[in-house]
Amino acid sequence: MNKKDYYEVLGVSKTASEEEIKRAFRKLAKQYHPDVNKEEGAEEKFKEIGEAYAVLSDPEKRRQYDQFGHAAFEGGAGGFGGFNAEDMDLGSIFEDLFGSGFGFNFGGGSRRGNSTRATKGRDRLVKMSLTFEEAVFGCKKTIELELNETCETCNGKGGFNEKTCSKCYGRGSIIVEQKSMFGIFQTQTTCNECGGSGHTFEKSCNECHGSGHIRKNKELVVTIPEGVDNGYQLRISGKGEAGTNGGPNGDIYIEFQVKKHEFFEREDEDIYLEVPLTIAEAALGCKKEIPTLENNVILEVKAGANTGDKLKLKGKGIKVPNSLRKGDLFVILNVVTPTKLDRKQKKLIEELANTDLENDSIFKNFKKYLKK
């Protein structure tokens, strides 16, 4: 049987925005809800608009539909399998938009609650402070965490002598009557006796009090790689909170906060160092011993250096995490004018001032702007 165009079903154009699609769906869902509309075909219409919305509200499914039409979701059609409109959980779609009070039991199937699903444990975020050197060269740190661990006494089940739930008969859900804006109708909800698992226990575990988890303090030694920076996150897989129903543990993310250095400033993998020079060193040039991250080196400063001049030492910066590449060290020269002079130094400066030091083009160009 040929299916109707999804855009026509919702009464929207093919360029409709996400909000326009949602608004049209809400309006039609209320109009054709089987507890309100008793006309023949209302239930099928209700499912039809739910199917159309499920596709058009999902950007990837909508893209496939726009390109291939209904064939995109038919088995064997160009390899686009993995989505079958007939298998959609339309009840969840309506509950997401309208709440559980808008429920409708499509087909009366025994849909089990999510509590039986193997679920990954929660991730944890830990903030760690590092010195500049610890961040640059890497180190080992020990952190202490309080985490949910799988209870060893009951193997995470929460109890002993498992049996089928007498209220939902193992389905994990029950049918109850609810009131809504449309009146009284039946809806499917998670069984409150077994929490949706479909089973109960003759005896609850005293160690974990039926939760399947116990809280434990743990110490974890963390190897911090070279070159981490402020905001960098290190992921430690499988060391977070315990999963449920056999699901894997969560992960731990460590976010670093790096303290400032007294002399070095960092910009990504490059570092900057301000080096002070005397007037004589700047004018005559010199060989200046300066620190780097690893050792001291001799920097050759050419005659006539000025404040703000930048010199680059390639490969003397910071190692990029998980890489062999290193940044550079940039030396920023700062010619320092002395503020305290002894008698001999003052005399030498005065003698220097009596000579012509204004042959430089900078001075000559400046003089052009002096008023005559």
Side-chain angles (χ1 to χ4, degrees):
M1 182 177 69
N2 292 330
K3 289 189 176 183
K4 290 183 180 179
D5 181 88
Y6 286 146
Y7 291 100
E8 290 182 9
V9 170
L10 295 182
V12 297
S13 69
K14 292 189 176 182
T15 59
S17 66
E18 183 179 339
E19 184 57 37
E20 289 173 328
I21 290 173
K22 183 182 291 187
R23 190 162 53 243
F25 168 70
R26 282 178 176 270
K27 180 180 178 182
L28 291 171
K30 290 180 179 180
Q31 180 180 348
Y32 289 99
H33 193 288
D35 288 313
V36 176
N37 194 324
K38 302 300 182 181
E39 294 180 5
E40 186 178 351
E43 181 177 330
E44 288 305 313
K45 180 68 175 179
F46 190 58
K47 293 181 181 180
E48 187 179 58
I49 62 176
E51 180 182 321
Y53 178 75
V55 172
L56 299 184
S57 63
D58 185 300
E60 178 59 23
K61 292 187 179 74
R62 184 178 180 181
R63 184 191 65 77
Q64 292 184 13
Y65 177 73
D66 288 344
Q67 187 173 1
F68 301 100
H70 292 290
F73 311 118
E74 294 173 359
F80 301 107
F83 171 76
N84 186 346
E86 299 299 326
D87 294 332
M88 287 187 305
D89 186 358
L90 298 180
S92 296
I93 294 173
F94 289 106
E95 285 182 10
D96 289 342
L97 284 172
F98 297 97
S100 60
F102 199 79
F104 178 65
N105 185 14
F106 291 95
S110 59
R111 182 165 54 93
R112 183 171 292 194
N114 288 338
S115 60
T116 59
R117 183 187 304 163
T119 306
K120 181 182 176 181
R122 289 192 303 115
D123 296 334
R124 289 287 300 273
L125 176 65
V126 178
K127 294 194 175 183
M128 179 182 290
S129 179
L130 299 176
T131 66
F132 187 87
E133 288 80 5
E134 287 173 334
V136 168
F137 298 111
C139 60
K140 288 185 182 292
K141 289 277 190 178
T142 300
I143 59 174
E144 293 185 1
L145 292 170
E146 189 180 40
L147 296 169
N148 276 336
E149 293 276 294
T150 300
C151 178
E152 296 179 356
T153 304
C154 64
N155 293 321
K157 290 186 175 181
F160 309 95
N161 300 326
E162 181 180 316
K163 59 181 181 180
T164 301
C165 177
S166 59
K167 188 169 185 178
C168 68
Y169 305 104
R171 291 191 299 270
S173 60
I174 55 176
I175 304 298
V176 297
E177 286 190 347
Q178 287 191 351
K179 291 182 179 181
S180 76
M181 65 181 83
F182 305 109
I184 299 175
F185 62 95
Q186 289 186 334
T187 185
Q188 185 170 268
T189 188
T190 301
C191 176
N192 58 3
E193 182 72 22
C194 64
S197 66
H199 59 260
T200 57
F201 298 98
E202 289 185 4
K203 181 182 178 183
S204 181
C205 177
N206 292 328
E207 186 71 21
C208 65
H209 305 291
S211 68
H213 298 112
I214 54 174
R215 205 72 175 162
K216 278 188 177 181
N217 290 319
K218 292 189 66 177
E219 281 193 352
L220 186 66
V221 178
V222 181
T223 300
I224 298 162
E226 298 177 62
V228 299
D229 199 0
N230 273 317
Y232 182 94
Q233 286 192 350
L234 177 66
R235 176 174 172 261
I236 305 175
S237 179
K239 296 297 183 180
E241 304 279 7
T244 55
N245 298 315
N249 286 4
D251 303 324
I252 292 177
Y253 289 87
I254 301 178
E255 185 175 299
F256 299 107
Q257 297 170 326
V258 183
K259 297 176 182 177
K260 289 187 175 182
H261 193 273
E262 184 179 1
F263 300 109
F264 294 117
E265 286 191 15
R266 178 173 183 174
E267 188 174 305
D268 298 326
E269 65 268 20
D270 297 326
I271 55 172
Y272 291 79
L273 174 67
E274 186 177 284
V275 174
L277 296 178
T278 66
I279 293 176
E281 288 175 328
L284 303 176
C286 65
K287 290 186 177 180
K288 189 84 170 179
E289 186 177 20
I290 66 167
T292 69
L293 291 174
E294 297 173 343
N295 49 29
N296 292 346
V297 298
I298 301 300
L299 178 70
E300 186 172 343
V301 180
K302 293 182 179 180
N306 290 293
T307 293
D309 286 353
K310 184 191 291 186
L311 305 176
K312 183 171 80 170
L313 300 182
K314 190 172 179 60
K316 291 295 184 180
I318 298 171
K319 184 178 181 292
V320 178
N322 304 313
S323 169
L324 297 176
R325 187 167 64 87
K326 273 191 171 185
D328 303 318
L329 167 61
F330 291 93
V331 175
I332 310 299
L333 301 181
N334 180 21
V335 182
V336 180
T337 302
T339 56
K340 293 182 180 180
L341 297 172
D342 60 27
R343 187 176 299 174
K344 183 177 179 181
Q345 290 170 330
K346 189 174 181 180
K347 185 178 180 180
L348 289 171
I349 294 293
E350 288 174 345
E351 290 178 1
L352 184 64
N354 290 329
T355 63
D356 185 9
L357 294 175
E358 299 184 359
N359 289 324
D360 193 286
S361 60
I362 295 176
F363 291 102
K364 291 180 179 180
N365 289 333
F366 178 75
K367 286 182 178 180
K368 291 179 182 179
Y369 293 96
L370 293 177
K371 294 180 179 179
K372 302 296 183 178

